[in-house]
Amino acid sequence: MKRGLSLKWLVVIVFLVQGLILVVGYSFLTAHYLIQGMDNMVTSNMEQVAHHYLEETANEVPKKPKQYHNYIVTTQWSALPEEIKTLFKQSEITPNKLFKAHLSEESPPRVKFLFHAIIHDQKVYVSYGMSRSTASALTIKNITNDFQTLIMISVLSALSLALVILLLSWRLGRPITRLGQWARTLASEKLNQPTPNFNYPELNAFAELIRSNLKAVQETTEREQHFLRHTSHELRTPITTIRSNVELLKKLDAKSNQRHQQLAIERIDRASLTMKHLTEILLWLHHDRAEQLPMKECQLNDVIQHLVDDMRYLLASKKVTVTIETKPYTLYLSEAAARIVLGNLIRNAFQHTWEGNVNIIQEKNTVKIINEQHANSEQEDLGFGLGLQLTERLCQRLAWHYQNEQQAMGHSVTLVFPDTK
């Protein structure tokens, strides 16, 4: 059996993956807002530079471009540096919005900014370049510290989340493991003892449910065993009485020498034997005992003939033709089990055939019983119905081949006994 991932580790992995996704996602979000805050500061500075430029050139017509440190301010797009005009397209530049372009490391200003402001109905373009070499040492230090703090918080958050999940799984896994061990060792002598404490109300309720269900099953089994013992005693008593009186009738019949009485006594004798054997086999099947049923040599064709004779009363007032084809054959098997199985099959064939044919064919150790119901029969065709559960179970336990096939107008049963003499 393939062993899959345990429930404990499945929960741990799912929560860890989900937690790591959240930590990484919020880390990137924090970094994004950090950079967004820096861009807002740049935008504010560029807007202040634009106001200062307009105030300084208020009397100049036309206004000339001016540079304030790394800021280049002009009212004309054409007056901007060529590098800015190459990086940005005039048609895409909208007012009051910061535009940013990243350059390669070789370029002196690594990041280029462009801000288009409209102040008092006047257009102003402000460009700005920034890199590690142009930024102040304090700014670089603050940015580096911020990113280091962000990375440290992210790593600590991921580690603490993993630790909490592992501790939680360990905390929950211990009582669940204890519950499984307790359930595996729960024997009949422990059912009346109180359930242990598994720390959590849900597990305690589940343990109590297991104990109560097993206790109910045990009580049911005990009641069945008591019933079987009492039933066995009650059945064996009348069977013993019948057997003893049959022996007495045999002795009396031997003196009177009346043929009809002898036949009746033989039928009673076989019926009482069948009752006795059926009781023993039912008890044997119920207790699932390992020992075998009594074995002896028996003439299979004689067993079939006796069973047919005993059950012909089931065909009274029926238009049923019985065809028997048997050949002498001796087998070493449990005659009691064979009589019960064959008796069930023949009885069902006789009971559920109202108008038609019943063919019983025995060839060595193979017996076939076929009932054919005529199409104009008004009775319901029930096949072999009753007794099949006992027949199937008994054949399975004794390793006898048994096959039941439904046909158009009846059933066909094949029974093969082990060919051991």
Side-chain angles (χ1 to χ4, degrees), residues 41-61:
M41 292 176 60
V42 172
T43 303
S44 177
N45 293 335
M46 295 176 77
E47 188 176 11
Q48 291 178 10
V49 169
H51 279 282
H52 179 73
Y53 169 77
L54 290 178
E55 291 175 359
E56 189 176 292
T57 61
N59 299 322
E60 293 182 12
V61 180

Side-chain angles (χ1 to χ4, degrees), residues 19-33 150 154:
L20 290 175
I21 290 174
L22 290 175
V23 170
V24 173
Y26 278 110
S27 298
F28 278 104
L29 184 64
T30 304
H32 169 74
Y33 280 118
L150 176 61
S154 300

Side-chain angles (χ1 to χ4, degrees), residues 28 103 119 160 234 259 266 345 407 412:
F28 278 104
L103 304 179
I119 303 173
S160 62
E234 296 297 331
R259 177 62 181 169
E266 289 178 354
L345 297 177
Q407 297 181 343
S412 174

Side-chain angles (χ1 to χ4, degrees), residues 89-99 114-118 125:
K89 294 181 180 180
Q90 184 180 7
S91 59
E92 297 176 355
I93 302 303
T94 56
N96 300 320
K97 183 178 179 181
L98 181 68
F99 293 88
L114 178 62
F115 181 71
H116 178 201
I118 299 178
Y125 295 95

Side-chain angles (χ1 to χ4, degrees), residues 214-340:
L214 289 178
K215 188 176 181 180
V217 171
Q218 185 190 32
E219 291 174 352
T220 303
T221 304
E222 290 177 353
R223 285 197 299 269
E224 289 181 354
Q225 291 176 349
H226 288 305
F227 173 77
L228 280 173
R229 283 197 293 267
H230 296 156
T231 304
S232 174
H233 174 73
E234 296 297 331
L235 283 174
R236 283 170 176 167
T237 301
I239 289 173
T240 302
T241 303
I242 293 174
R243 296 295 301 160
S244 60
N245 282 276
V246 167
E247 295 296 330
L248 178 60
L249 286 174
K250 284 182 178 180
K251 293 178 181 179
L252 294 175
D253 183 66
K255 296 179 180 179
S256 60
N257 195 20
Q258 295 183 9
R259 177 62 181 169
H260 295 293
Q261 292 182 1
Q262 183 179 359
L263 292 175
I265 291 171
E266 289 178 354
R267 292 193 186 98
I268 295 173
D269 186 24
R270 288 195 294 270
S272 63
L273 279 174
T274 301
M275 291 175 63
K276 176 184 177 183
H277 295 153
L278 180 60
T279 302
E280 293 176 351
I281 288 175
L282 286 174
L283 293 172
W284 176 71
L285 285 174
H286 177 80
H287 289 295
D288 200 17
R289 296 182 296 190
E291 63 266 19
Q292 292 184 348
L293 292 171
M295 310 279 286
K296 71 173 189 177
E297 288 187 354
C298 65
Q299 197 76 13
L300 185 58
N301 57 306
D302 290 342
V303 172
I304 295 173
Q305 189 63 53
H306 288 155
L307 291 171
V308 171
D309 292 340
D310 291 343
M311 296 179 189
R312 281 189 182 274
Y313 70 93
L314 297 171
L315 302 177
S317 71
K318 292 183 180 181
K319 297 179 181 180
V320 177
T321 303
V322 179
T323 304
I324 304 175
E325 299 179 10
T326 61
K327 295 180 181 179
Y329 198 75
T330 303
L331 289 174
Y332 184 76
L333 45 72
S334 171
E335 183 179 2
R339 289 181 64 86
I340 289 172

Side-chain angles (χ1 to χ4, degrees), residues 121-140:
D121 296 331
Q122 292 187 2
K123 294 182 179 181
V124 182
Y125 295 95
V126 183
S127 65
Y128 173 67
M130 184 180 66
S131 65
R132 181 177 292 271
S133 59
T134 59
S136 65
L138 181 60
T139 303
I140 297 297

